[in-house]
């Protein structure tokens, strides 16, 4: 067990309301290696987003541990979080949107300025820096949102259905794009999705959750034989169907109404 | 002519038509008023007439320092309005920041807002005397509670996902307030200001009715006491003009905000 970046152990979480207790997660355990791109799939409403919020430290678990074995005790993990929508602010220019996180953390300096400029040039946004978000396409907005997250130089990226707001065509190209950017940066990433094909196409590893109360059903490593580097290549890989059917069955065993 | 040119022409002529009809209504109304008063169909002693208003305005200007009356009313309105803006913004921000506080105070705000403010004016006179303070407080009291409620309600409805974004970027509740809630609600703030400038004027006039030796409200009360209806109507007419001007200033601000480039 080397290079484990994140280790989740026996995590439990429940929501409370006056109507009663809703158990969202029961005994969730898994670990993720550094540099891995992991997808978590499960039926909608099973608690996937809750799991991400717990890992990000936005909420506290009822019991269980979230450990980062590679960090010393005094270090806290640098986590970037991408929400379902880009949430770029219309009252700010693209550039001002991208430096929002730096502004909040008082980290807007020479070094990060250069970093942001480099990212924006690399991913084709530099010439749009003074535009408003509404003047950009859905894919470009999603890339801007990614740079906003990357500007804070996170080691772990959490993607919460980050592509689900895009139309199908944009989604195929943008998700591929963004996965490639993340891999190139050598970041560890967790993508939450209910889209099985997206998970197979993007991830090295898939964790399957059951319907609520969610628990880990199985973990599947993905190895695809790729003919070329095109976006559609992974979906044409000979193993794609097999993986799809395998995951479909795992999910179906727990939820008849799983949607794709 | 291309379709685009035709569209633009059509759009412009539609605009002109609206302005023309508006103006026409005003002219017809004034003409009808003047003629009926002239022919004694309505008693000009009670109803005045446009020509009498003009004469009265000239008289007021030369004899009674009309400009200083207007100046006083304007100054009182602007002071009331600025204080309403300041107090309501700060209170709404505080209520947003402390949810418990807002939950506790909610019924009190509703009650304070629904008290008829003209009923409170006599109290203000007793407490603050007959002077500018009373008038300004009257102006504030009419607008401030409604302003707090509408601003706070708007602040509360800020997209929760946008607030979550700030949290995921490591921001605090203060960051949420200044980076999202306030800029997100600028249109609401401008809209509330538009309503409040009118309400502040109403409050100031109520105050002047009861506690002033100067100002347009005083002219109205004085005019009615000495049965100079022309003076009353002239003052009302000037009040209308002031309201229109103040409203337009805010309208222009709002327009500027919408048209501005990204920052």
């Amino acid at each position: 067990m080397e290079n484990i970046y994140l280790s989740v152990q026996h995590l439990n979480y429940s929501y409370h309301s006056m109507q009663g207790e809703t158990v969202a997660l029961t005994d969730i355990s898994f670990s993720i290696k550094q540099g891995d791109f992991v997808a978590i799939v499960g039926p909608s409403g099973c608690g996937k987003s809750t799991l991400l919020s717990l890992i990000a430290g936005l909420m506290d678990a009822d019991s269980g541990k979230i450990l980062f074995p590679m960090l010393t005790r005094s270090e806290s993990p640098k986590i970037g979080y991408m929400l379902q929508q880009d949430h770029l602010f219309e009252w700010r220019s693209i550039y001002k949107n991208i430096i929002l996180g730096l502004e909040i953390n008082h980290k807007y300096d020479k070094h990060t300025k250069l970093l942001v400029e480099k990212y924006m040039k690399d991913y084709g946004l530099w010439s749009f820096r003074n535009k408003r978000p509404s003047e950009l396409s859905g894919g470009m907005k999603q890339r801007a949102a990614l740079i906003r997250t990357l500007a804070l130089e996170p080691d772990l990226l959490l993607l919460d259905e980050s592509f689900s707001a895009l139309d199908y065509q944009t989604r195929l190209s943008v998700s591929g794009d963004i996965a490639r950017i993340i891999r190139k940066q050598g970041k560890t990433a967790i993508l939450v999705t209910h889209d099985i094909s997206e998970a197979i196409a993007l991830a090295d590893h898939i964790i399957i959750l059951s319907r609520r109360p969610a628990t880990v059903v199985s973990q599947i490593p993905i190895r695809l034989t790729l003919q070329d580097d095109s976006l559609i290549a992974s979906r044409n890989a000979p193993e794609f169907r097999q993986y799809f059917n395998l995951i479909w069955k795992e999910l179906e065993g727990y939820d008849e109404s799983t949607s794709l | 002519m291309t379709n685009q040119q035709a569209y633009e022409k059509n759009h412009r002529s539609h605009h002109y038509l609206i302005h023309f009809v508006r103006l026409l209504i005003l002219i017809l109304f004034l003409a009808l008023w003047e003629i009926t008063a002239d022919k004694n169909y309505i008693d000009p002693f009670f109803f005045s007439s446009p020509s009498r208003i003009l004469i009265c305005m000239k008289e007021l200007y030369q004899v009674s320092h009309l400009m200083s009356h207007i100046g006083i009313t304007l100054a009182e309105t602007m002071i009331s309005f600025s204080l309403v803006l300041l107090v309501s913004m700060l209170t709404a921000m505080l209520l947003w920041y402390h949810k418990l506080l807002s939950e506790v105070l909610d019924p009190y705000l509703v009650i304070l807002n629904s008290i008829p403010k003209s009923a409170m004016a006599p109290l203000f006179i007793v407490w603050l005397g007959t002077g500018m303070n009373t008038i300004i407080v009257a102006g504030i009291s009419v607008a401030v509670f409604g302003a707090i409620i509408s601003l706070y309600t708007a602040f509360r409805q800020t997209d929760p996902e946008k607030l979550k974004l700030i949290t995921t970027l490591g921001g605090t509740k203060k960051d949420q307030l200044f980076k999202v809630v306030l800029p997100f609600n600028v249109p609401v703030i401008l809209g509330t200001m538009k309503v409040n400038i009118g309400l502040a004027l109403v409050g100031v006039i109520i105050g002047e009715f009861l506690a002033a030796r100067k100002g347009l409200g005083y002219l109205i009360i004085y005019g009615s006491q000495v049965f100079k209806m022309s003076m009353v109507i002239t003052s009302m007419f000037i009040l209308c003009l002031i309201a229109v001007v103040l409203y337009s200033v805010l309208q222009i601000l709002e327009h500027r905000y919408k048209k501005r480039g990204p920052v």
Side-chain angles (χ1 to χ4, degrees):
Chain A
M1 295 285 272
E2 20 144 18
N3 285 341
I4 298 295
Y5 184 77
L6 166 71
S7 169
V8 173
Q9 296 171 1
H10 311 292
L11 216 55
N12 289 290
Y13 189 83
S14 305
Y15 287 99
H16 297 275
S17 74
M18 292 307 282
Q19 278 71 47
E21 186 182 22
T22 313
V23 182
L25 305 172
T26 49
D27 199 31
I28 302 262
S29 297
F30 60 87
S31 52
I32 291 174
K33 277 196 225 150
Q34 191 184 28
D36 249 9
F37 196 121
V38 174
I40 299 178
V41 295
S44 7
C46 78
K48 301 181 294 262
S49 297
T50 309
L51 182 55
L52 276 198
S53 294
L54 291 175
I55 295 172
L58 300 179
M59 307 189 296
D60 291 320
D62 297 338
S63 64
K65 280 181 186 157
I66 297 169
L67 301 171
F68 297 87
M70 297 175 75
L71 301 178
T72 59
R73 192 163 290 221
S74 59
E75 279 179 305
S76 57
K78 290 166 83 179
I79 297 175
Y81 200 115
M82 267 184 89
L83 300 164
Q84 276 190 28
Q85 260 140 30
D86 53 69
H87 290 299
L88 296 170
F89 298 159
E90 195 54 33
W91 57 86
R92 283 169 170 251
S93 65
I94 291 297
Y95 185 78
K96 285 272 186 181
N97 263 294
I98 285 175
I99 62 163
L100 179 67
L102 295 171
E103 225 176 82
I104 288 171
N105 291 284
H106 308 289
K107 280 186 183 164
Y108 186 59
D109 53 30
K110 232 181 200 166
H111 164 71
T112 53
K113 224 170 165 168
L114 281 173
L115 184 74
V116 164
E117 190 177 330
K118 186 182 175 306
Y119 280 142
M120 288 182 79
K121 280 178 177 160
D122 285 358
Y123 308 129
L125 285 171
W126 186 244
S127 52
F128 294 90
R129 62 188 177 279
N130 293 323
K131 296 265 188 249
R132 287 208 198 193
S134 57
E135 294 174 271
L136 268 65
S137 71
M140 289 169 106
K141 283 194 266 195
Q142 208 61 30
R143 266 182 301 190
L146 177 69
I147 299 176
R148 182 179 58 198
T149 311
L150 290 179
L152 288 166
E153 301 174 89
D155 297 319
L156 173 64
L157 272 164
L158 306 176
L159 308 159
D160 186 0
E161 306 245 14
S162 303
F163 314 116
S164 60
L166 301 170
D167 63 80
Y168 191 67
Q169 242 181 336
T170 318
R171 182 173 179 166
L172 279 187
S173 68
V174 169
S175 60
D177 258 7
I178 287 185
R180 213 170 336 174
I181 293 169
I182 292 170
R183 274 183 217 282
K184 213 175 118 197
Q185 305 284 334
K187 312 275 187 200
T188 311
I190 303 175
L191 165 72
V192 151
T193 180
H194 61 269
D195 183 332
I196 300 175
S197 352
E198 188 173 271
I200 302 171
L202 301 178
D204 314 311
H205 227 92
I206 295 182
I207 296 171
I208 302 171
L209 295 185
S210 69
R211 155 177 78 178
R212 207 172 62 205
T215 190
V216 176
V217 177
S218 68
Q219 302 192 39
I220 303 172
I222 304 288
R223 296 279 172 274
L224 297 174
T225 338
L226 297 184
Q227 273 113 19
D228 58 81
D229 196 30
S230 73
L231 292 165
I232 209 74
S234 53
R235 287 168 208 261
N236 287 334
E239 303 88 349
F240 193 88
R241 270 291 121 197
Q242 291 155 28
Y243 280 127
F244 192 97
N245 291 332
L246 179 65
I247 296 168
W248 172 254
K249 278 202 192 96
E250 294 277 11
L251 281 172
E252 220 186 15
Y254 290 87
D255 184 9
E256 312 282 77
S257 64
T258 305
S259 60
L260 290 180
Chain B
M1 199 182 341
T2 65
N3 282 340
Q4 176 63 22
Q5 283 166 331
Y7 171 81
E8 284 173 16
K9 188 169 173 251
N10 198 343
H11 186 81
R12 269 196 297 271
S13 56
H14 178 74
H15 234 70
Y16 289 140
L17 179 72
I18 286 174
H19 280 296
F20 175 73
V21 177
R22 278 178 184 167
L23 206 63
L24 193 68
I25 291 173
L26 183 67
I27 291 169
L28 280 178
F29 173 72
L30 290 176
L32 193 70
W33 190 5
E34 184 65 43
I35 292 164
T36 48
D38 204 42
K39 302 270 182 214
N40 264 317
Y41 295 134
I42 57 171
D43 191 337
F45 179 75
F46 292 122
F47 293 98
S48 191
S49 71
S51 59
R52 285 174 178 81
I53 288 173
L54 279 177
I55 293 164
C56 177
M57 213 182 273
K58 201 176 149 203
E59 253 176 44
L60 281 173
Y61 180 71
Q62 286 166 342
V63 185
S64 312
H65 308 289
L66 179 63
M67 281 335 237
S68 75
H69 287 290
I70 294 176
I72 290 276
T73 299
L74 258 182
E76 287 163 347
T77 307
M78 291 319 291
I79 295 171
S80 292
F81 172 70
S82 313
L83 288 171
V84 166
L85 189 64
L86 190 74
V87 172
S88 60
M89 281 293 287
L90 289 177
T91 314
M93 280 157 69
L94 187 72
L95 290 176
W96 181 86
Y97 205 89
H98 294 284
K99 194 157 187 290
L100 181 67
L101 188 70
S102 70
E103 284 169 344
V104 170
L105 292 184
D106 183 65
Y108 292 103
L109 274 175
V110 172
I111 289 169
L112 285 170
N113 187 40
S114 46
I115 294 176
K117 302 306 169 319
S118 45
M120 288 163 73
L123 271 186
F124 295 149
I125 295 176
V126 174
W127 291 340
L128 301 165
T130 57
M132 219 169 170
N133 288 344
T134 300
I135 294 162
I136 288 167
V137 170
I140 295 171
S141 70
V142 170
V144 76
F145 302 111
I148 292 171
I149 291 171
S150 45
L151 286 177
Y152 169 68
T153 311
F155 288 3
R156 266 261 88 86
Q157 283 163 356
T158 309
D159 184 358
E161 285 291 305
K162 289 200 161 49
L163 300 177
K164 187 178 176 187
L165 171 75
I166 298 292
T167 316
T168 64
L169 292 171
T172 57
K173 195 149 190 192
K174 197 179 124 218
D175 291 315
Q176 292 184 339
L177 180 62
F178 288 103
K179 305 281 184 203
V180 183
V181 175
L182 292 183
F184 186 80
N185 284 299
V186 168
V188 177
I189 295 168
L190 285 170
T192 313
M193 279 165 70
K194 264 163 57 176
V195 175
N196 285 327
I197 192 104
L199 286 177
L201 187 60
V202 169
V204 162
I205 296 299
I206 292 174
E208 284 183 349
F209 278 0
L210 297 166
R213 290 277 154 267
K214 269 195 169 300
L216 292 168
Y218 166 75
L219 283 186
I220 291 175
I221 284 292
Y222 177 76
S224 74
Q225 281 166 354
V226 299
F227 266 93
K228 275 194 176 172
M229 288 306 135
S230 289
M231 194 193 245
V232 175
I233 294 172
T234 304
S235 308
M236 279 171 54
F237 178 72
I238 295 169
L239 272 180
C240 284
L241 282 181
I242 290 178
V244 169
V245 169
L246 293 177
Y247 188 85
S248 313
V249 169
L250 289 173
Q251 190 95 18
I252 291 166
L253 268 179
E254 195 176 28
H255 196 71
R256 282 257 176 94
Y257 174 76
K258 278 183 188 152
K259 280 275 168 80
R260 92 206 185 297
V263 283

